[in-house]
């Protein structure tokens, strides 16, 4: 009985010369060990939404005449933009 008979692996995960698990088998094991991370596009999208809300609020405060709060919100949106790029 070979190692191939013991493990019941798919055909493509075996080395045809030795009957031992192939590199693909070990790559699949490594993929299974890795944790699923949130995609970078999701993170980018969420930060972009927060930046947009901050800018809209800054616009409202500009209309109302509160320049300090409007400026602070615009600065916060820019800081988020920098964090997003890092």
């Amino acid at each position: 009985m070979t190692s191939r008979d013991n493990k019941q692996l798919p055909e493509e995960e075996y080395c045809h010369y030795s009957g031992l698990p192939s590199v693909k088998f070990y790559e699949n094991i490594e993929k299974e060990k890795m944790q699923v991370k949130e995609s970078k596009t999701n993170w980018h999208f969420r930060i972009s939404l927060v930046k947009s809300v901050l800018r809209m609020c800054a616009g409202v405060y500009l209309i109302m005449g509160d320049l300090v709060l409007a400026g602070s919100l615009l600065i916060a949106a820019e800081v988020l933009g920098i964090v997003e790029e890092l």
Side-chain angles (χ1 to χ4, degrees):
M1 182 185 271
T2 67
S3 61
R4 184 176 180 175
D5 296 330
N6 281 337
K7 297 190 181 193
Q8 301 299 319
L9 295 175
E11 182 73 26
E12 65 273 2
E13 292 189 5
Y14 282 101
C15 174
H16 295 288
Y17 299 107
S18 67
L20 297 174
S22 67
V23 173
K24 184 174 182 179
F25 170 76
Y26 293 107
E27 288 173 351
N28 288 340
I29 288 177
E30 288 302 314
K31 286 179 187 176
E32 289 175 10
K33 288 181 187 177
M34 294 170 39
Q35 294 180 355
V36 177
K37 292 171 62 175
E38 184 177 11
S39 75
K40 192 167 185 157
T41 55
N42 268 351
W43 180 247
H44 176 78
F45 177 72
R46 289 180 182 173
I47 291 178
S48 293
L49 284 179
V50 171
K51 288 188 314 186
S52 295
V53 169
L54 286 175
R55 290 182 183 128
M56 286 188 285
C57 291
V60 170
Y61 284 112
L62 277 174
I63 291 170
M64 293 175 17
D66 192 346
L67 297 178
V68 174
L69 190 51
S72 298
L73 290 171
L74 288 172
I75 290 170
E78 287 306 312
V79 168
L80 275 178
I82 292 169
V83 168
E84 181 181 27
E85 295 301 322
L86 298 177

